[in-house]
Amino acid sequence: MLMEIRAINTEADYDWALAEVERYFLDEPRPGSPDADRFAVLSTLIEAYENKHWPIEPLDPVEMLLHTMEETGRTQSDLADLLGSRSRASEILNRKRAITMDMAHKLHEKWKIPAEVLIRPYNLAAGV
């Protein structure tokens, strides 16, 4: 049986593909089956369409630091303990001081924040 797969070029195509993969969530296909292969291809096409039409900008280092703190229940005091100073932690979070390579290394090693995010260029507060 030939199962239709088509390019996703429009919102209508996108809606069609979403409806097609939804049924695989309700009745998971057997690995290695034609349905499993179709699910994988449709999922890849959907992801490509979403990335093209609704790209998600990566978090900058401070946004990632704040996100990590929120997700892990860490506080500014925890950051101060890691960086060695309450004022330094405050300056980082308020974008008055840039994250140094040493700080990035500590944050990566201790808090498991990806190093490539921590060393990404970002804007400091105006006037700094």
Side-chain angles (χ1 to χ4, degrees):
M1 176 173 138
L2 180 62
M3 294 187 196
E4 179 187 7
I5 294 181
R6 63 183 191 235
I8 302 175
N9 296 313
T10 66
E11 285 293 313
D13 294 335
Y14 176 71
D15 291 340
W16 168 83
L18 288 176
E20 290 294 306
V21 298
E22 181 178 14
R23 67 185 180 138
Y24 295 122
F25 290 114
L26 302 173
D27 184 20
E28 190 173 327
R30 183 178 42 79
S33 69
D35 279 342
D37 292 343
R38 184 169 188 266
F39 174 73
V41 170
L42 285 170
S43 297
T44 300
L45 291 172
I46 290 168
E47 181 180 12
Y49 184 85
E50 290 173 345
N51 288 341
K52 179 179 179 184
H53 294 279
W54 305 296
I56 298 173
E57 294 297 321
L59 297 177
D60 78 17
V62 174
E63 292 168 338
M64 179 57 98
L65 182 54
L66 289 166
H67 172 76
T68 299
M69 290 170 66
E70 182 179 323
E71 290 294 310
T72 60
R74 290 188 171 103
T75 64
Q76 186 171 330
S77 292
D78 297 322
L79 181 61
D81 290 343
L82 182 64
L83 300 181
S85 160
R86 289 188 65 78
S87 63
R88 188 172 299 135
S90 176
E91 290 170 344
I92 294 293
L93 294 176
N94 289 303
R95 298 177 180 270
K96 294 182 178 178
R97 176 189 290 250
I99 297 171
T100 65
M101 289 301 289
D102 183 56
M103 292 175 196
H105 179 74
K106 287 178 183 177
L107 289 162
H108 172 70
E109 287 294 314
K110 302 293 185 187
W111 289 11
K112 306 301 181 208
I113 299 174
E116 62 272 11
V117 173
L118 294 168
I119 63 172
R120 184 178 296 137
Y122 66 100
N123 294 323
L124 295 176
V128 176

